[in-house]
C-alpha cells in the first residue's frame, strides 16, 4: 500500500459507489469490481468500508476477492506488464521470458516494483498467438519476446521516465 | 415418512437429512466436515451414500430424506470411494502415522503424544487422543498414501492470545469458519485465496484481534484436527473427567463443561453448541485456578511474620482472636461470587455465633470490581472472603481474618489467612442476573489445603460454640436448608452472553483480584486493545553480522532443516578441539535454563565450531531454537560421555531417525575412515522430513532413505530396510541405532535374535553430565549405568526400554505445565520455513 495516502484518501468517494448497489451479500463481487475500477485496486480500508456497508465480515469479502485473480490488493504501477502464459506462448518459452522480467524488475508476478513504476502480471492469453511469446505493457503488445528483448524494452521505459523527471 | 436404510425400514422426520436419520437409528455413516451444531455443508464428501433413483453418490449430510427413499450406506463401491477421498485429503495433512505399520506398537509404547512446535505426525500432535481423522482412517482402513503428500511450510501461528494455529494440519473442512459465523454473526475467519493456496485466514493477514475476534474459542471446540488448539490445554491429553457446571466469573452464569486430568482443570468450554461463551469462560478458568500463585496453606501471624500452619491451627487461632470481638465489634465481608450455601453459613455465623448485625454482601460492578469501604466505626475484627477492603482501612482493625485464593496486600497484613476452594472446585448454587438459581458442581480439586469457604467458617464456628452450632456434613445439607429444590436446577439459557459478542464487556475482577494477573493471554488481549503489538524479532535477525572473533558460545548459524528440527553451528573452540565421535555437550540457553544434553553432530577444530541438531520438544528446547544467529548461549559444557570406539568392525549399519540423523554424521565418517563398510539408513515420516541426505551419502559407503509413507526411498522404518538388506545376503557385523527411544526400541526388539551386536545412544534426562547426580541412570543387562559417563552408547539388546521411556517421562506433568501459558509466543513466528529448509533440493 502506498503510505503517502491516508486511510481516508483511500476510500474517498466510496459511499458514492455504494449507492449503486443494494446492501446485501450478492453485491460483494459487483462492488469489488467497482472499487477496483475506481481506485485501481482493493485496499484494506475499502474492504472495511464494504464490510460495514454490507454487514459481511472483512475476512469473508477478502475471501471472495482473493479467490479471483482479477482483484488486486496493491496499487498498480504506472505500467502494467502482462506476460502471456497461454499455450502458444508457453510452448515458445514464455516461462524464461517471465524469468527475465522477474530478475529485471525484482518482483514476483502480481506485485509492483518498489518505485511504483511496473506491475508484473501473468495472463492466460492476449489473443495474438501467432506473435508468441507475447508481452503487453498497458495494452501495447510486444511480439516474439526473448530474454534480451524484454530487458531492452524495460530499459527503454526506464529511460523514458528518467528523461521526464530529469527535465 | 418411511425410508429404507441398508434394508431396514425406518421412520424419517420431515426436514431431517439422511445422515441425521441414520444416526438416530444407530446406523453409522462415516462423516467428517459435518457437525451437530452446524447446518449442512457437504464439503468433505466422506458421508456419501447410494440412493436408488439418484445419480451419483449424494452426501448424506446435506441430502434431505424423502418418502420411499432406498438408501445404502455400506456398499463396496462406497467404501472404496470414501477411502480414496480420505486418502486425497491426507495428502495435505501429516499423515504418515496413519499408514504406519507399527501404529499399534507405537500407541502401546507411547500412548501420550509428545509436545512439539510443528506437528509432523500423530505422535507429536496435541489432538492425537481425540482425533476424528485418526478414527476415520482406522474405520475406513486407510493403508497407503497414494502420492507424496504436500507439506505447506506455513509458519505455526503462536502469536495470538490463547489460540495456536498450525495450518499445515488443516483439512479445510470449514467447521471453524461456520461456527464463527453462527456464534458471532460474522465470520472473523474465512477461506482465503484459491485452489492449492486456499487456507483459513483473516482479511489481509490481519491478526485475530484486528479482524474482530472475541476469543470465544468455539472454533477450537469444533476443529476435528490439531490445527486449532487451546494453548493452555493442548498437551494435557484426554480428560479423565468432564463436569457440567456454571461459570461464576459473572452473573450471566453460563453453562460450562470443565475438563479435568488428575483432578486438575485443564480446559473449559461452553456446554451448548448454539451459544458461545466469553473469553473468560473458555480460556480463563484452568490457568486461573491452577495458578502457581494460589494460596495453598493456612498461615497465622507470629511476631509480625506469617507462618504456614495446619488448617486446624489456623481455625483455632481465628476462634481465639474473635473471642474478644463479639457483637458490633465484628463484621463479615463477602461478595456474591461466594455460593448461596457459603453465604448462608457466613450470615448464620455472623448473626448466631458472633451476634453481630454486620454481615455485608457486596455486589460487584460490571467489571466484577468489588470494593467495600462502608465499615461501621465500632468494627474491630473482620472476616473477608476476598481482597475487597482498601488497604488504607487496615489499621482500623485489630483482627483481620482473610479467606482468599491469591496473596494480596490485604492477605499479607492479615492475622490469619485461610486458602479457600472456589468456582469449579466447589459444589453449591448461585444466582444468575435474572435471579434464577444455577447449580455449581465440583469439577476438580482445589490446590493444597484449600477448603470451601463455608467449611472454613464452620470450622471456626465449631470451635467457638461447639454446642450450639449445628454441623453440616456436606454442602447439600445447606442447599436443602435453603429450600432449594436441586431436582429443578438446570443449566439452560436462551441467549449468548454479551461478553462473547463484545470482548470489552468481559469481567476483569474476581474476589478483588485482577483476572489478567493470573491469565497471561488476557494481558496479550489488553496489549492488542491498547495497540501495543508484541515485538517482531524476525526483522531484527536479518541484520545480524557475525563478528570475526565471535564471543564464546555464539550461534553462528541457525537453520530449520525440516519442520521442527534445527541445525545450530556454535562457536566453541575448546570443545571442537577435544571432541570425539559419539560424545555430547550440555547446553544452557540462559542462566536459569534447564541443562539439556545434545549429541555433537559435527565439529570443526580449525574454525572452532560445533554443530548440533535440535528438535523443539518442550520449554527448554523451545528456548534453544528461539536463539538467533549472533546471540550467545549462556553455557555449553563438553565434550562429555564415552566416545564411540572407532575400530575395524567390518560392515556397520547405522540407523538414524529424527534428531538421531543429525547425530551420526561424524560417527559414520570416522568408522568409514577406519576401513569399515558403513551402510547408512536414515528414516523419516515423510519426504519433507528427510534431511542431511548429501551429508550422509558423503560419509557412508551406501545410503538408504526410508519413509513411513513411502514418499521418498523405501517404505517403513530403518529397521525394515535393514531386514531387507539382510535378506539379500548382506552380512552386517554391527548395528548402531540413534533416534528416539521408540525407534531404538523396535530396532533392539527386531534384531534380538539375529546374532548381530546392536548399539544404541541413550539420552535420558541429565543434570551435571559427569556422573555425580545420577539423574540419567538406566538399567542395562540388570546393572545400573549412568548414561552421561558410561554412555551414551549401550548394548541395545540389554537396555530396559520401558524404564528408558518412564524415566524420560518422569517430569512430564511439570513439563506440560511449563509450556501451558496463554501468552502469545514472540519468537521466530514470522520466519517462512521454506527458504531455509532442504526441501527445495529435492527434485
Amino acid at each position: 500500500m502506498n503510505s503517502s495516502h491516508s486511510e481516508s484518501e483511500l476510500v474517498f468517494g466510496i459511499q458514492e459507489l455504494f449507492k449503486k448497489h443494494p446492501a446485501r451479500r450478492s453485491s460483494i463481487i459487483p462492488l469489488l469490481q467497482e472499487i477496483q475500477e475506481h481506485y485501481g485496486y482493493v485496499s484494506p480500508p475499502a474492504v472495511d468500508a464494504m464490510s460495514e456497508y454490507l454487514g459481511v465480515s472483512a475476512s469473508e469479502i477478502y475471501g471472495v476477492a482473493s479467490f479471483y485473480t482479477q482483484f488486486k490488493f496493491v496499487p498498480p504501477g504506472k505500467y502494467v506488464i502482462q506476460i502471456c502464459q497461454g499455450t502458444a506462448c508457453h510452448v515458445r518459452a514464455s516461462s524464461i521470458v517471465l524469468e527475465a522480467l522477474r530478475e529485471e524488475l525484482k518482483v514476483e508476478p502480481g506485485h509492483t516494483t518498489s518505485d511504483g513504476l511496473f506491475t508484473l502480471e501473468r495472463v492466460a492469453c492476449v489473443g495474438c498467438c501467432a506473435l508468441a511469446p507475447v508481452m503487453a505493457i498497458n495494452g501495447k503488445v510486444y511480439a516474439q519476446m526473448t530474454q534480451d528483448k524484454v530487458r531492452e524494452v524495460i530499459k527503454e521505459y526506464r529511460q523514458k521516465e528518467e528523461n521526464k523527471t530529469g527535465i | 415418512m418411511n425410508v429404507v436404510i441398508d434394508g431396514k425400514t425406518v421412520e424419517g422426520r420431515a426436514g431431517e437429512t439422511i445422515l441425521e436419520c441414520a444416526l438416530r437409528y444407530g446406523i453409522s455413516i462415516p462423516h467428517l466436515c459435518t457437525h451437530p451444531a452446524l447446518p449442512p455443508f457437504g464439503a468433505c464428501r466422506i458421508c456419501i451414500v447410494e440412493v436408488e433413483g439418484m445419480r451419483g453418490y449424494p452426501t448424506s449430510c446435506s441430502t434431505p430424506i424423502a418418502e420411499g427413499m432406498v438408501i445404502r450406506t455400506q456398499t463396496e463401491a462406497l467404501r472404496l470411494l470414501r477411502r480414496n477421498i480420505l486418502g486425497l485429503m491426507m495428502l495435505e495433512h501429516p499423515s504418515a502415522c496413519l499408514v504406519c505399520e507399527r501404529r499399534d506398537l507405537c500407541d502401546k509404547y507411547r500412548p501420550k503424544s509428545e509436545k512439539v512446535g510443528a506437528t509432523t505426525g500423530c505422535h507429536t500432535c496435541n489432538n492425537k487422543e481425540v482425533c476424528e481423522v485418526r478414527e476415520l482412517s482406522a474405520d475406513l482402513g486407510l493403508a497407503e498414501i497414494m502420492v507424496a503428500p504436500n507439506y505447506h511450510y506455513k509458519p505455526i501461528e503462536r502469536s495470538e492470545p490463547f489460540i495456536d494455529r498450525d495450518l499445515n494440519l488443516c483439512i479445510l473442512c470449514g467447521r471453524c469458519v461456520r461456527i464463527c459465523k453462527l456464534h458471532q454473526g460474522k465470520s472473523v475467519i474465512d477461506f482465503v485465496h484459491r485452489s492449492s493456496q486456499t487456507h483459513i485466514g483473516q482479511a489481509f493477514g490481519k491478526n485475530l484481534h484486528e479482524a474482530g475476534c472475541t476469543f470465544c474459542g468455539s472454533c477450537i471446540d469444533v476443529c476435528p484436527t490439531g490445527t486449532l488448539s487451546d494453548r493452555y490445554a493442548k498437551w494435557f491429553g484426554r480428560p479423565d473427567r468432564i463436569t457440567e457446571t456454571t461459570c461464576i466469573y459473572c452473573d450471566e452464569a453460563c453453562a460450562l463443561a470443565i475438563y479435568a486430568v488428575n483432578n486438575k482443570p485443564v480446559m473449559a468450554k461452553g456446554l451448548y453448541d448454539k451459544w458461545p461463551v466469553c473469553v473468560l469462560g473458555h480460556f480463563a478458568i484452568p490457568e486461573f485456578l491452577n495458578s502457581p500463585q494460589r494460596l495453598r496453606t493456612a498461615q497465622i501471624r507470629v511476631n509480625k511474620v506469617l507462618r504456614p500452619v495446619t488448617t486446624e491451627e489456623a481455625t483455632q487461632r481465628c476462634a481465639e482472636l474473635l473471642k474478644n470481638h463479639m457483637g458490633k465489634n465484628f463484621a463479615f465481608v463477602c461478595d456474591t461470587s461466594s455460593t448461596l450455601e457459603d453465604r448462608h453459613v457466613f450470615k448464620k455465623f455472623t448473626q448466631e455465633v458472633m451476634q453481630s448485625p454486620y454481615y455485608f454482601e457486596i455486589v460487584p460492578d460490571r467489571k466484577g470490581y468489588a470494593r467495600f469501604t462502608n465499615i461501621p466505626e465500632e468494627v474491630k475484627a473482620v472476616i473477608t472472603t476476598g481482597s475487597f477492603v482498601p488497604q488504607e482501612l487496615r489499621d482500623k482493625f485489630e483482627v483481620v481474618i482473610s479467606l482468599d485464593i491469591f496473596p494480596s496486600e490485604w492477605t499479607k497484613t492479615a492475622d490469619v489467612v485461610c486458602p479457600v476452594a472456589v468456582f469449579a472446585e466447589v459444589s453449591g448454587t448461585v444466582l444468575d442476573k435474572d435471579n434464577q438459581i444455577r447449580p455449581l458442581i465440583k469439577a476438580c480439586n482445589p490446590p493444597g489445603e484449600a477448603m470451601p469457604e463455608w467449611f472454613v467458617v464452620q470450622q471456626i464456628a465449631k470451635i467457638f460454640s461447639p454446642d450450639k452450632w449445628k454441623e453440616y456434613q456436606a454442602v447439600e445439607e445447606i442447599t436443602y436448608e435453603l429450600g432449594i429444590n436441586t431436582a429443578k436446577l438446570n443449566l439452560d439459557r436462551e441467549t449468548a452472553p454479551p461478553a462473547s459478542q463484545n470482548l470489552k464487556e468481559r469481567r476483569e475482577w474476581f474476589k478483588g483480584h485482577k483476572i489478567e494477573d493470573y491469565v497471561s493471554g488476557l494481558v496479550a488481549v489488553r496489549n492488542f486493545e491498547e495497540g501495543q503489538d508484541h515485538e517482531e524479532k524476525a526483522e531484527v535477525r536479518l541484520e545480524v553480522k557475525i563478528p570475526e572473533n565471535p564471543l564464546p558460545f555464539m550461534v553462528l548459524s541457525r537453520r530449520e532443516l525440516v519442520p521442527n528440527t534445527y541445525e545450530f553451528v556454535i562457536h566453541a573452540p575448546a570443545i571442537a578441539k577435544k571432541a570425539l565421535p559419539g560424545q555430547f555437550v550440555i547446553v544452557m540457553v540462559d542462566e536459569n535454563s534447564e541443562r539439556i544434553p545434545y549429541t555433537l553432530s559435527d565439529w570443526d577444530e580449525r574454525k572452532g565450531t560445533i554443530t548440533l541438531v535440535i528438535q523443539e520438544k518442550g520449554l527448554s528446547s523451545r528456548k534453544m531454537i528461539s536463539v538467533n544467529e549472533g546471540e550467545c548461549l549462556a553455557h555449553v559444557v563438553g565434550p562429555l560421555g564415552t566416545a564411540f570406539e572407532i575400530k575395524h568392525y567390518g560392515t556397520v549399519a547405522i540407523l538414524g531417525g529424527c534428531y538421531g540423523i543429525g547425530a551420526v554424521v561424524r560417527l559414520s565418517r570416522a568408522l568409514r575412515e577406519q576401513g569399515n563398510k558403513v551402510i547408512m539408513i536414515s528414516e523419516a515420516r515423510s519426504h519433507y522430513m528427510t534431511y542431511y541426505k548429501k551429508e550422509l551419502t558423503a560419509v557412508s559407503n551406501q545410503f538408504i532413505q526410508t519413509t513411513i509413507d513411502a514418499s521418498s526411498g523405501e517404505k517403513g522404518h530403518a529397521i525394515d530396510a535393514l531386514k531387507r538388506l539382510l535378506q539379500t545376503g548382506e552380512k552386517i557385523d554391527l548395528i548402531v541405532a540413534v533416534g528416539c527411544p521408540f525407534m531404538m526400541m523396535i530396532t533392539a526388539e527386531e534384531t534380538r535374535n539375529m546374532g548381530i551386536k546392536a548399539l544404541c545412544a541413550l539420552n535420558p534426562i541429565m543434570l551435571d553430565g559427569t556422573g555425580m547426580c545420577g539423574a540419567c541412570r538406566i538399567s542395562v543387562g540388570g546393572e545400573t549405568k549412568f548414561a552421561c559417563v558410561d554412555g551414551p552408547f549401550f548394548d541395545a539388546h540389554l537396555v530396559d526400554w520401558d524404564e528408558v521411556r518412564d524415566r524420560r517421562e518422569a517430569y512430564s506433568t511439570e513439563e506440560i505445565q511449563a509450556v501451558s501459558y496463554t501468552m502469545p509466543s514472540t519468537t521466530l513466528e514470522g520466519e517462512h520455513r521454506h527458504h531455509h529448509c532442504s526441501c527445495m533440493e529435492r527434485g
Side-chain angles (χ1 to χ4, degrees):
Chain A
M1 202 197 309
N2 194 333
S3 55
S4 65
H5 290 290
S6 73
E7 284 223 347
S8 56
E9 274 176 68
L10 286 171
V11 289
F12 181 76
I14 204 163
Q15 297 302 330
E16 289 303 309
L17 302 182
F18 290 162
K19 279 182 191 160
K20 297 190 233 167
H21 301 274
R24 56 176 187 232
R25 269 188 106 248
S26 57
S27 298
I28 294 178
I29 292 177
L31 255 176
L32 282 168
Q33 285 169 323
E34 192 110 27
I35 284 169
Q36 171 134 317
E37 194 169 323
H38 191 87
Y39 300 98
Y41 74 111
V42 179
S43 69
V47 169
D48 288 343
M50 263 182 81
S51 165
E52 203 168 303
Y53 175 64
L54 299 176
V56 174
S57 78
S59 294
E60 192 171 346
I61 296 168
Y62 180 77
V64 172
S66 62
F67 183 87
Y68 298 99
T69 44
Q70 59 168 297
F71 296 116
K72 310 275 168 281
F73 301 112
V74 286
K78 187 167 178 188
Y79 301 107
V80 178
I81 305 174
Q82 296 179 314
I83 178 80
C84 182
Q85 303 282 287
T87 314
C89 290
H90 175 74
V91 297
R92 302 206 61 172
S94 62
S95 59
I96 66 163
V97 178
L98 174 63
E99 212 43 57
L101 278 170
R102 260 187 181 148
E103 277 172 26
E104 191 61 34
L105 301 172
K106 296 188 175 58
V107 286
E108 291 297 305
H111 292 265
T112 301
T113 54
S114 52
D115 57 6
L117 217 47
F118 300 103
T119 298
L120 183 57
E121 271 180 19
R122 268 192 298 219
V123 291
C125 186
V126 185
C128 45
C129 304
L131 305 177
V134 171
M135 171 173 84
I137 300 185
N138 285 4
K140 185 179 174 192
V141 173
Y142 293 81
Q144 290 169 345
M145 297 313 285
T146 63
Q147 295 208 329
D148 290 343
K149 273 168 134 180
V150 290
R151 290 203 180 94
E152 207 49 49
V153 175
I154 298 296
K155 212 162 141 189
E156 278 169 31
Y157 274 87
R158 283 196 175 130
Q159 202 69 52
K160 203 164 76 184
E161 282 303 309
E162 264 173 43
N163 291 345
K164 266 192 216 162
T165 48
I167 294 162
Chain B
M1 71 187 90
N2 287 327
V3 293
V4 179
I5 306 179
D6 294 340
K8 187 173 155 191
T9 305
V10 298
E11 206 182 310
R13 293 176 187 156
E16 76 180 340
T17 62
I18 296 173
L19 181 66
E20 283 165 343
C21 181
L23 293 178
R24 204 158 47 76
Y25 281 96
I27 301 164
S28 83
I29 303 174
H31 53 274
L32 186 55
C33 74
T34 193
H35 188 275
L38 297 166
F41 194 49
C44 74
R45 309 202 73 77
I46 290 287
C47 71
I48 49 172
V49 290
E50 291 175 13
V51 179
E52 270 181 24
M54 277 178 97
R55 222 162 54 88
Y57 301 93
T59 47
S60 62
C61 73
S62 60
T63 309
I65 54 158
E67 179 63 47
M69 255 186 182
V70 178
I71 301 150
R72 281 181 292 274
T73 73
Q74 300 297 337
T75 67
E76 199 43 51
L78 285 170
R79 261 195 289 275
L80 184 65
L81 275 170
R82 286 178 190 146
R83 193 187 304 145
N84 284 344
I85 291 167
L86 183 69
L88 286 170
M89 221 183 288
M90 289 302 100
L91 294 182
E92 306 210 34
H93 182 85
S95 48
C97 292
L98 297 175
V99 295
C100 177
E101 282 166 12
R102 293 185 179 82
R103 183 175 159 167
D104 293 342
L105 198 59
C106 174
D107 281 344
K108 201 172 150 231
Y109 187 70
R110 45 182 187 190
K112 291 231 171 277
S113 53
E114 277 180 28
K115 53 191 184 330
V116 293
T119 292
T120 54
C122 300
H123 170 57
T124 54
C125 182
N126 63 81
N127 202 48
K128 179 186 172 190
E129 293 178 59
V130 291
C131 182
E132 291 178 43
V133 174
R134 255 171 90 81
E135 271 174 40
L136 198 59
S137 81
D139 288 352
L140 299 179
L142 184 75
E144 61 167 347
I145 298 295
M146 293 161 264
V147 294
N150 184 22
Y151 186 80
H152 283 279
Y153 297 94
K154 291 200 185 301
I156 347 164
E157 297 168 40
R158 298 194 275 198
S159 53
E160 303 283 358
F162 305 109
I163 302 172
D164 277 353
R165 187 163 68 181
D166 184 349
L167 290 173
N168 301 302
L169 313 184
C170 179
I171 55 168
L172 298 171
C173 68
R175 282 192 193 173
C176 54
V177 174
R178 289 178 284 148
I179 198 86
C180 189
K181 204 167 205 170
L182 183 78
H183 280 181
Q184 298 295 334
K186 285 184 192 179
S187 52
V188 167
I189 45 175
D190 210 320
F191 292 97
V192 296
H193 297 282
R194 183 168 58 161
S195 74
S196 65
Q197 302 303 310
T198 307
H199 62 270
I200 304 297
Q202 300 86 256
F204 299 99
K206 288 176 184 177
N207 65 44
L208 285 176
H209 184 264
E210 282 173 330
C213 181
T214 62
F215 301 98
C216 72
S218 298
C219 52
I220 296 174
D221 299 339
V222 295
C223 180
T225 68
T227 309
L228 291 168
S229 54
D230 176 335
R231 188 172 300 132
Y232 186 86
K234 66 193 286 187
W235 298 115
F236 283 104
R238 191 196 293 274
D240 47 33
R241 186 164 138 202
I242 302 172
T243 313
E244 296 178 1
T245 184
T246 300
C247 180
I248 57 167
Y249 268 133
C250 74
D251 54 9
E252 285 290 330
C254 293
L256 293 178
I258 305 267
Y259 290 53
V261 173
N262 282 333
N263 291 313
K264 248 164 66 98
V266 296
M267 191 174 80
K269 62 182 192 183
L271 197 55
Y272 298 111
D273 288 339
K274 251 190 307 181
W275 313 119
V277 289
C278 73
V279 59
L280 299 187
H282 205 290
F283 295 115
I285 297 170
E287 196 180 2
F288 187 80
L289 294 180
N290 290 335
S291 169
Q293 298 181 61
R294 280 288 295 273
L295 291 169
R296 282 154 196 280
T297 37
Q299 299 167 72
I300 59 173
R301 186 163 299 283
V302 183
N303 301 330
K304 293 187 178 171
V305 182
L306 281 175
R307 294 192 185 284
V309 290
T310 63
T311 312
E312 291 71 38
E313 284 174 292
T315 42
Q316 189 72 46
R317 172 62 73 90
C318 290
E320 282 164 23
L321 289 172
L322 292 177
K323 213 163 22 186
N324 303 323
H325 296 90
M326 303 285 288
K328 286 186 169 182
N329 280 344
F330 174 80
F332 200 110
V333 182
C334 67
D335 77 348
T336 51
S337 70
S338 295
T339 64
L340 295 177
E341 288 76 5
D342 288 328
R343 287 185 260 159
H344 179 67
V345 171
F346 300 163
K347 197 171 180 180
K348 214 167 140 182
F349 174 80
T350 309
Q351 292 172 350
E352 293 175 13
V353 178
M354 297 306 292
Q355 303 190 345
S356 162
Y358 296 139
Y359 167 69
F360 300 107
E361 237 177 62
I362 326 163
V363 179
D365 70 4
R366 275 181 54 243
K367 289 283 169 195
Y369 189 71
R371 265 283 177 271
F372 188 73
T373 49
N374 237 349
I375 293 168
E377 268 310 312
E378 64 261 42
V379 172
K380 292 290 165 229
V382 65
I383 297 183
T384 56
T385 62
S387 300
F388 316 117
V389 183
Q391 202 59 30
E392 308 88 82
L393 302 181
R394 173 62 185 87
D395 291 341
K396 293 181 68 165
F397 307 109
E398 286 164 26
V399 175
V400 168
I401 293 166
S402 169
L403 277 51
D404 214 329
I405 48 175
F406 291 114
S408 64
E409 278 307 301
W410 184 252
T411 64
K412 282 174 191 160
T413 54
D415 298 291
V416 183
V417 181
C418 295
V420 287
V422 292
F423 215 130
E425 296 159 354
V426 296
S427 292
T429 52
V430 288
L431 282 183
D432 72 7
K433 62 176 197 310
D434 303 320
N435 279 331
Q436 194 180 338
I437 299 169
R438 300 287 190 174
L440 207 57
I441 318 286
K442 182 177 169 173
C444 53
N445 286 351
E449 318 270 302
M451 291 291 178
E453 291 170 342
W454 68 267
F455 186 86
V456 176
V457 173
Q458 170 167 280
Q459 292 304 100
I460 303 169
K462 271 163 62 186
I463 299 165
F464 227 92
S465 49
D467 314 322
K468 272 192 261 165
W469 184 265
K470 180 185 146 284
E471 187 175 354
Y472 303 106
Q473 298 299 328
V475 70
E476 288 76 15
E477 290 178 21
I478 316 174
T479 317
Y480 180 77
E481 190 171 293
L482 284 168
I484 295 167
N485 183 352
T486 46
K488 281 195 178 161
L489 294 183
N490 65 68
L491 293 159
D492 301 345
R493 61 177 296 122
E494 271 151 27
T495 52
S500 74
Q501 312 289 316
N502 183 355
L503 198 52
K504 289 199 156 39
E505 296 282 320
R506 68 181 185 275
R507 287 280 168 120
E508 290 176 11
W509 298 81
F510 184 75
K511 287 191 185 289
H513 301 280
K514 203 156 197 202
I515 302 165
E516 68 189 37
D517 290 346
Y518 309 95
V519 181
S520 53
L522 289 173
V523 179
V525 170
R526 182 167 309 279
N527 288 347
F528 277 124
E529 284 173 343
E530 291 171 359
Q532 314 165 4
D533 287 6
H534 53 278
E535 57 171 322
E536 280 181 28
K537 256 190 169 178
E539 282 175 29
V540 182
R541 192 172 56 248
L542 294 173
E543 295 157 19
V544 168
K545 284 231 162 49
I546 303 296
E548 228 166 89
N549 295 310
L551 294 166
F553 313 127
M554 181 178 272
V555 173
L556 306 180
S557 102
R558 168 201 181 274
R559 59 179 182 135
E560 186 165 13
L561 296 168
V562 291
N564 211 48
T565 305
Y566 300 78
E567 180 202 76
F568 277 82
V569 178
I570 298 159
H571 180 69
I575 299 173
K577 204 185 267 178
K578 296 269 183 189
L580 294 167
Q583 287 188 304
F584 64 94
V585 292
I586 287 185
V587 173
M588 279 179 80
V589 181
D590 60 45
E591 285 168 3
N592 300 315
S593 294
E594 185 189 354
R595 297 163 60 90
I596 343 165
Y598 291 116
T599 301
L600 282 159
S601 170
D602 205 349
W603 56 90
D604 188 325
E605 195 187 329
R606 206 170 37 82
K607 290 186 190 158
T609 61
I610 58 170
T611 305
L612 308 176
V613 172
I614 292 168
Q615 271 193 344
E616 184 188 336
K617 275 275 170 87
L619 189 67
S620 300
S621 49
R622 182 164 174 177
K623 252 190 197 172
M624 178 71 198
I625 61 117
S626 303
V627 176
N628 289 326
E629 289 174 359
E631 291 179 357
C632 292
L633 302 168
H635 203 62
V636 183
V637 59
L640 297 165
T642 305
F644 196 97
E645 193 185 349
I646 304 296
K647 62 174 190 185
H648 186 79
Y649 294 94
T651 302
V652 182
I654 302 181
L655 281 56
C658 280
Y659 44 84
I661 299 167
V664 295
V665 180
R666 197 59 183 251
L667 175 65
S668 178
R669 192 196 298 165
L671 284 170
R672 199 176 72 157
E673 281 168 2
Q674 277 295 317
N676 292 289
K677 178 183 177 187
V678 178
I679 302 172
M680 172 69 64
I681 311 174
S682 169
E683 73 170 43
R685 284 187 184 139
S686 191
H687 67 97
Y688 56 83
M689 294 301 289
T690 65
Y691 66 97
Y692 274 2
K693 275 186 185 176
K694 272 190 225 154
E695 287 84 346
L696 294 176
T697 307
V699 295
S700 59
N701 299 78
Q702 187 182 351
F703 174 77
I704 303 170
Q705 178 70 54
T706 75
T707 46
I708 306 297
D709 63 3
S711 58
S712 174
E714 299 184 14
K715 182 173 166 61
H717 285 90
I719 179 67
D720 296 317
L722 180 74
K723 282 183 186 165
R724 282 189 286 264
L725 265 185
L726 289 165
Q727 272 167 12
T728 63
E730 180 76 55
K731 193 181 153 293
I732 309 276
D733 299 295
L734 177 69
I735 298 166
V736 183
V738 186
C740 67
F742 178 72
M743 176 265 187
M744 294 191 287
M745 183 275 285
I746 57 170
T747 307
E749 292 308 321
E750 297 179 29
T751 58
R752 196 174 288 286
N753 300 318
M754 287 180 180
I756 309 170
K757 189 174 168 80
L759 296 175
C760 60
L762 296 185
N763 55 343
I765 296 167
M766 283 184 194
L767 283 182
D768 64 287
T770 58
M772 288 193 293
C773 75
C776 65
R777 82 165 68 81
I778 35 112
S779 303
V780 180
E783 269 181 66
T784 296
K785 297 277 184 191
F786 287 177
C788 67
V789 286
D790 300 324
F793 287 94
F794 293 103
D795 187 332
H797 298 139
L798 298 179
V799 169
D800 180 340
W801 290 103
D802 285 344
E803 188 199 48
V804 168
R805 173 201 53 205
D806 294 345
R807 291 196 67 87
R808 271 170 70 93
E809 285 169 10
Y811 301 104
S812 63
T813 315
E814 289 76 7
E815 286 173 27
I816 290 167
Q817 187 94 59
V819 290
S820 295
Y821 47 91
T822 53
M823 191 73 177
S825 162
T826 55
T827 52
L828 306 170
E829 303 302 342
E831 184 181 16
H832 200 288
R833 289 144 200 282
H834 219 80
H835 301 303
H836 299 280
C837 74
S838 55
C839 70
M840 302 298 276
E841 294 161 19
R842 279 178 226 114

